[in-house]
Amino acid sequence: MRINLSLAALLLVSAGLAQVRAAESKPVWKWVAANEYYFILPAAQDLHISGGGTESVKPLGFGFRAVGNETVSKTGGLQFQSIKVDNPRTGRDTFYLLDLLLGMEYMAPKVQGKPLRLTASAFADLGLSDTTLYAAPVISAGLLYTTNETADTPTGLTFDIFYRLTDIDLDNVGNGKAGTLKPALGFKVGYIFEGFWTTKEKSN
């Protein structure tokens, strides 16, 4: 009886060791990513001010965005913009936009020896300005100049043209006046650093 129990225990230990070895032989996957930091360049867009006509403004800003490493990937980020208004009827003032961007991105596949890659994105822009919440669709197209072709995730300089498709109605665009930002083109430049969003096999 004792011999049978000993054999059973030995078989259980052997099975456990086999399972551990099998688990060790499987690839370990780590979630890694790329992160883009960028500046929004000043580009003229129309601001219709209640009681003040239409003013040309040039937003300045910066942002952060998570970048996938697949041909089509989820993407999202935060950006901040400062807009100065100098209107003869309403005076000078500054208002701000804080945007949460959520969407999808296409990136041309990596080709050895060709550092330029095309990109295209579509976002839902969920924003806050003073006490106003707003939502607007945004599309963009651009170029990535790859500076490290051996990296698992895309890295390098970026240049993008983006377009906001709808008006943004705001309760305060300076000095307590309501206003509307009209659809407009924008430009941004940035750099993508290797970070935390691509799957990677870990060596044992």
Side-chain angles (χ1 to χ4, degrees), residues 47 49 55 57 83-87 91-95 173:
L47 170 66
I49 304 172
E55 181 81 10
V57 295
I83 303 176
K84 292 183 178 180
V85 181
D86 185 2
N87 186 276
R92 296 181 180 181
D93 208 343
T94 302
F95 66 97
V173 295

Side-chain angles (χ1 to χ4, degrees), residues 31-35 153 155 193-198:
W31 196 241
V32 182
N35 305 307
T153 55
T155 59
F193 296 88
E194 192 169 5
F196 302 98
W197 253 22
T198 186

Side-chain angles (χ1 to χ4, degrees), residues 178-199:
T180 301
L181 277 171
K182 308 304 289 184
L185 280 172
F187 305 92
K188 66 184 183 71
V189 294
Y191 194 92
I192 298 177
F193 296 88
E194 192 169 5
F196 302 98
W197 253 22
T198 186
T199 51

Side-chain angles (χ1 to χ4, degrees), residues 17-130:
L17 289 173
Q19 288 180 352
V20 170
R21 288 171 182 167
E24 288 177 350
S25 64
K26 291 181 180 178
V28 177
W29 297 91
K30 185 179 179 182
W31 196 241
V32 182
N35 305 307
E36 180 188 20
Y37 298 87
Y38 61 86
F39 291 99
I40 298 172
L41 304 179
Q45 57 183 271
D46 289 337
L47 170 66
H48 179 75
I49 304 172
S50 179
T54 299
E55 181 81 10
S56 179
V57 295
K58 296 180 179 180
L60 282 171
F62 59 89
F64 160 86
R65 187 173 67 89
V67 181
N69 72 316
E70 304 292 337
T71 303
V72 178
S73 303
K74 295 178 182 177
T75 182
L78 289 170
Q79 69 181 26
F80 176 82
Q81 297 180 75
S82 172
I83 303 176
K84 292 183 178 180
V85 181
D86 185 2
N87 186 276
R89 297 184 188 177
T90 61
R92 296 181 180 181
D93 208 343
T94 302
F95 66 97
Y96 306 95
L97 306 178
L98 178 63
D99 301 300
L100 171 64
L101 302 172
L102 299 171
M104 300 293 293
E105 178 182 35
Y106 165 81
M107 183 176 292
K110 180 169 61 175
V111 178
Q112 192 69 26
K114 294 184 178 180
L116 276 180
R117 299 169 68 179
L118 295 173
T119 63
S121 307
F123 298 99
D125 179 356
L126 309 175
L128 173 67
S129 177
D130 194 34

